[in-house]
Amino acid sequence: MDERQYVEMDGLGLAEAVRGGEASAAEVLEVARARADRLNPAINAIATRLDERAAERAAGSLSGPFAGVPFLLKDLHQDLVGVPTTAGCRALAGRAATETSTVVERWEDAGLVIFGKTTTPEFGSKGITEAELFGPTRNPWDLERTPGGSSGGSAAAVAARILPVAAASDGGGSIRIPAACTGLVGLKAGRGLVPFGPGESEPLNGLATSGVVSRTVRDTAAMLDVLAGPDAVSAFAPALPERPLSERLEDAPSPLRIGYFTRAALRPTPHPEAVRAVEHAAGLLTSLGHHVEEIAPPHDDARLGRDFLTIWCVHQAIEIERIKRETGCGDDGFELDTRLLAALGRAVGGVELQAADERRSEHIAALARVHETYDLVLTPTLGEPPIRIGALETPALLQRLSELLLRTRTTRVMRVGGVVDQILERNLAWVPYTQLANMTGRPAISLPLHWTPAGLPMGVQLIGRLRSEELLLRLARQLEVAAPWAERRPAMA
């Protein structure tokens, strides 16, 4: 198989070529590795290469829907026994995983050939991928801009056509944000549908889940078929689709009622390109027979953002203390911003944390009221086009202030002084739309339906009711047929 054939195929297409004898798994892997050798230096998407292990696997007997397809794991919560999972953190570099994650086992059972792990910000805590451990990961559409985060390495690798589909995860938008930044499909499944064992049952209070970024809807659907279903440590057993999701993609949905909004309290004036992205999607949906109309945002996204950040900061504090305890490392094992978030988390009282978590019921009820009238909610995925590398770097003055307050253990001053609000606005204002689906546990998908005049992707997001993964995927496939995107590629690819 030559590279020209390889880059035209999605994951299921490559698997079919291997199954039909057009190419061997080893030959397909060699093309993926060659593209990684040539393209990764420019985008910095791959944190760890596993070439020897991959070659051994590709030479063996493989079965499953993705048998022989090259694959990359995300270097966060996706453990492969004997291989480090750094989570973008210096303190974890070189520390090998002692067991394999349930989702990784399922990917291998599906026949995938894992040849590396992709970059992520430290603990996945930003919507960009610029960990100090690995350096910034760049967007193949514009190397001066971010591919998003925290699954930015996976998205950059897929957008550059190093491989057709890669592992991702989403605790606040980390599948959908990078998919939107790089022109890919990104589905966050509903709460609990994809397991997180064997080490955790419901990470981040149930906000987070695993999935993929891909070029085609059918790859995303088939990957959810592979992953869905509880494991031994799952907190509950959600109802599974009655039949494989990939089997119903060509059944176009009946006319739907879709409500859209672009306004957000965290971004009072929507960016023109975010508005254009939604208006373009609304027009396309209308042309397909769906009823689309503008609605008011159903929730207080500023309140939701603060609740989300409260939960996130507390988990950062827990994570840092656990790693210090297990590795014996000091503060120098972590980035300043991470230590700052953890300090803010330690300053959160138990009542405040419980209140933030319990307010999720209010956000769920607000979204449910909208879904009484509308089948789906449409929003931009991004608040603005992919931002420039370094745009969210903490200003030098705030860095010095943070170091001082951390040394003197007076970080409560930062909360009183409004620093928490600054962090919220700086990190969430450019992506204010994605946390809603995580806080409510609803499925959501980002689709690459719009490009800016400068040639940058701008995804749109669709949020559904509980158990609406099938509907989201069927509508996504209808849109994919009406406005094909899979053949669009950055020049470097």
Side-chain angles (χ1 to χ4, degrees):
M1 174 175 288
D2 62 31
E3 281 197 43
R4 186 177 298 276
Q5 294 172 303
Y6 176 87
V7 299
E8 295 295 334
M9 294 185 180
D10 64 0
L12 290 174
L14 285 175
E16 184 177 351
V18 172
R19 192 163 48 247
E22 298 172 38
S24 68
E27 291 169 340
V28 174
L29 174 63
E30 187 55 37
V31 177
R33 288 166 54 180
R35 289 187 66 79
D37 290 342
R38 188 170 72 253
L39 299 175
N40 191 61
I43 58 175
N44 189 33
I46 302 176
T48 303
R49 289 284 288 266
L50 302 171
D51 289 345
E52 184 175 336
R53 184 187 188 281
E56 291 177 1
R57 180 167 168 81
S61 177
L62 298 170
S63 61
F66 288 95
V69 178
F71 197 62
L72 293 168
L73 301 177
K74 181 179 177 179
D75 197 20
L76 178 69
H77 297 308
Q78 295 176 358
D79 295 342
L80 185 61
V81 66
V83 177
T85 298
T86 73
C89 175
R90 289 188 294 269
L92 297 178
R95 188 167 181 251
T98 58
E99 55 188 356
T100 297
S101 299
T102 302
V103 291
V104 178
E105 290 178 346
R106 292 184 180 182
W107 278 320
E108 292 213 303
D109 289 345
L112 291 157
V113 178
I114 297 166
F115 72 102
K117 303 189 82 171
T118 62
T119 53
T120 182
E122 190 166 54
F123 305 136
S125 64
K126 294 181 179 178
I128 56 175
T129 303
E130 300 177 24
E132 291 176 6
L133 179 62
F134 299 116
T137 298
R138 299 178 181 275
N139 193 326
W141 293 91
D142 181 345
L143 296 179
E144 296 304 312
R145 296 182 182 270
T146 184
S150 64
S151 306
S154 293
V158 174
R161 305 288 179 114
I162 291 174
L163 72 171
V165 57
S169 61
D170 193 317
S174 291
I175 288 174
R176 291 158 289 150
I177 292 167
C181 285
T182 58
L184 303 176
V185 178
L187 171 70
K188 183 202 81 70
R191 181 174 178 177
L193 186 59
V194 176
F196 229 95
E200 297 182 84
S201 58
E202 282 216 288
L204 201 63
N205 291 25
L207 270 63
T209 189
S210 289
V212 298
V213 287
S214 73
R215 295 203 319 269
T216 64
V217 174
R218 71 172 191 161
D219 271 1
T220 289
M223 280 290 186
L224 187 53
D225 287 333
V226 165
L227 295 178
D231 65 1
V233 300
S234 293
F236 54 88
L240 298 177
E242 295 179 0
R243 54 190 269 196
L245 296 166
S246 52
E247 290 184 2
R248 299 221 39 207
L249 289 183
E250 302 306 325
D251 296 344
S254 302
L256 302 172
R257 289 184 60 84
I258 300 171
Y260 76 87
F261 65 88
T262 59
R263 286 175 289 150
L266 288 169
R267 194 179 190 98
T269 304
H271 191 282
E273 288 301 328
V275 175
R276 290 188 188 103
V278 168
E279 289 177 344
H280 171 72
L284 183 58
L285 288 162
T286 300
S287 72
L288 293 170
H290 304 293
H291 177 77
V292 186
E293 62 186 34
E294 187 170 10
I295 61 173
H299 65 301
D300 179 353
D301 69 296
R303 176 73 268 175
L304 182 144
R306 287 178 176 83
D307 290 341
F308 172 81
L309 191 62
T310 296
I311 295 169
W312 191 279
C313 288
V314 171
H315 277 266
Q316 295 291 286
I318 293 170
E319 190 78 348
I320 281 185
E321 291 308 311
R322 178 186 65 80
I323 293 170
K324 284 183 174 180
R325 186 172 61 250
E326 293 178 357
T327 67
C329 75
D331 285 346
D332 59 352
F334 309 93
E335 296 179 14
L336 173 61
D337 285 359
T338 303
R339 289 190 287 124
L340 179 59
L341 290 175
L344 294 170
R346 287 191 292 272
V348 172
V351 172
E352 183 181 356
L353 174 62
Q354 184 67 15
D357 197 49
E358 288 191 3
R359 265 192 299 271
R360 293 167 67 181
S361 63
E362 298 176 15
H363 305 312
I364 290 169
L367 185 56
R369 284 192 293 271
V370 174
H371 279 140
E372 290 174 0
T373 303
Y374 300 95
D375 300 293
L376 300 171
V377 173
L378 169 68
T379 76
T381 310
L382 308 174
E384 61 186 278
I387 59 178
R388 292 191 176 276
I389 299 293
L392 295 184
E393 185 175 345
T394 302
L397 180 60
L398 184 54
Q399 287 187 35
R400 291 194 293 271
L401 174 62
S402 301
E403 289 281 14
L404 174 63
L405 295 175
L406 287 167
R407 283 199 305 271
T408 57
R409 299 182 181 276
T410 53
T411 47
R412 286 182 183 274
V413 173
M414 303 183 75
R415 304 186 72 208
V416 176
V419 176
V420 173
D421 288 340
Q422 290 182 39
I423 292 172
L424 173 68
E425 292 170 6
R426 187 161 54 89
N427 284 280
L428 298 187
W430 88 281
V431 286
Y433 305 101
T434 55
Q435 295 80 35
L436 174 61
N438 298 88
M439 291 289 281
T440 60
R442 270 47 182 172
I445 193 169
S446 180
L447 299 174
L449 292 176
H450 181 67
W451 268 256
T452 72
L456 293 171
M458 282 284 289
V460 296
Q461 174 183 233
L462 289 154
I463 305 172
R465 303 182 180 98
L466 282 177
R467 298 193 65 196
S468 64
E469 287 86 358
E470 180 184 301
L471 176 62
L472 288 169
L473 288 164
R474 288 167 57 203
L475 180 61
R477 176 56 184 158
Q478 186 184 35
L479 291 165
E480 184 180 39
V481 171
W485 58 71
E487 297 310 312
R488 296 189 71 150
R489 68 186 74 172
M492 70 173 298

